[in-house]
Amino acid sequence: LTLSKAPNAHQVERLKNGNTFVADLGNLLEVTRDGKEVLHIKRPANDVLTARKLPNGQIALITRRWQLLRLDTSGNVLKSVQLHDKRNAIDRQQILDNGSVLVAIPFENAVVEYNSDGKVLRTYKASSPYSVTRLPNGNLLLTEGEGKAVEL
């Protein structure tokens, strides 16, 4: 699968329909297994930190200005929420199916969960967390600065 429209892809996800969703700083793409483009949203500001196609078809993304955006498949902004500025958490987020966001913040020794309205739902203590993901059982799996994987 060649990603010529997202040459600096930093995120890729296989969707339930078999397509692949790809994000780089300036592009959001969805392509079929044979490489046919079915979605392409350009972000001229090159501001995409992380993005995810949600089960309802909308796209959630976090920008470099820490805005949590919901887009339709044409790229129109449906919702915009300002998250707290966590510059030291770049590339350490996960957008969940419900639009909530997990953010690992190493210099605060914490993982913060925000809801889709940008409100803090929960803060988890962790030792220099680097990455975080929600497991199917609801627990968190994260990596910590000492080279450990921890389940909370």
Side-chain angles (χ1 to χ4, degrees):
L1 187 61
T2 303
L3 302 173
S4 59
K5 291 189 179 173
N8 298 308
H10 60 261
Q11 187 171 351
V12 63
E13 178 182 6
R14 183 62 43 104
L15 302 174
K16 289 184 180 178
N17 65 5
N19 291 351
T20 302
F21 181 76
V22 181
D24 75 3
L25 288 174
N27 298 281
L28 304 170
L29 294 171
E30 182 179 344
V31 294
T32 62
R33 285 186 185 261
D34 61 358
K36 180 183 175 205
E37 182 181 296
V38 294
L39 172 79
H40 184 197
I41 299 172
K42 289 182 133 322
R43 297 288 300 171
N46 291 321
D47 62 350
V48 178
L49 288 180
T50 192
R52 179 131 193 255
K53 188 161 186 190
L54 301 175
N56 67 5
Q58 294 177 356
I59 296 157
L61 69 100
I62 299 174
T63 70
R64 286 182 174 200
R65 293 180 180 242
W66 283 95
Q67 289 178 299
L68 175 59
L69 303 179
R70 286 277 185 107
L71 308 178
D72 65 17
T73 55
S74 297
N76 299 310
V77 176
L78 303 173
K79 185 176 183 178
S80 175
V81 174
Q82 185 65 50
L83 298 176
H84 296 286
D85 186 353
K86 300 292 183 190
R87 293 183 197 278
N88 60 352
I90 291 175
D91 296 333
R92 295 176 174 99
Q93 317 89 24
Q94 182 190 23
I95 299 171
L96 305 174
D97 282 347
N98 65 3
S100 292
V101 179
L102 294 170
V103 181
I105 310 166
F107 298 111
E108 294 181 16
N109 292 315
V111 172
V112 179
E113 183 174 356
Y114 295 94
N115 70 11
S116 62
D117 292 320
K119 305 282 188 248
V120 175
L121 294 176
R122 190 173 299 154
T123 300
Y124 303 88
K125 297 223 180 269
S127 177
S128 297
Y130 184 77
S131 67
V132 61
T133 190
R134 167 85 22 93
L135 298 172
N137 66 6
N139 291 349
L140 301 182
L141 181 63
L142 55 103
T143 57
E144 293 184 326
E146 301 291 317
K148 294 187 279 186
V150 178
E151 184 172 340
L152 301 176

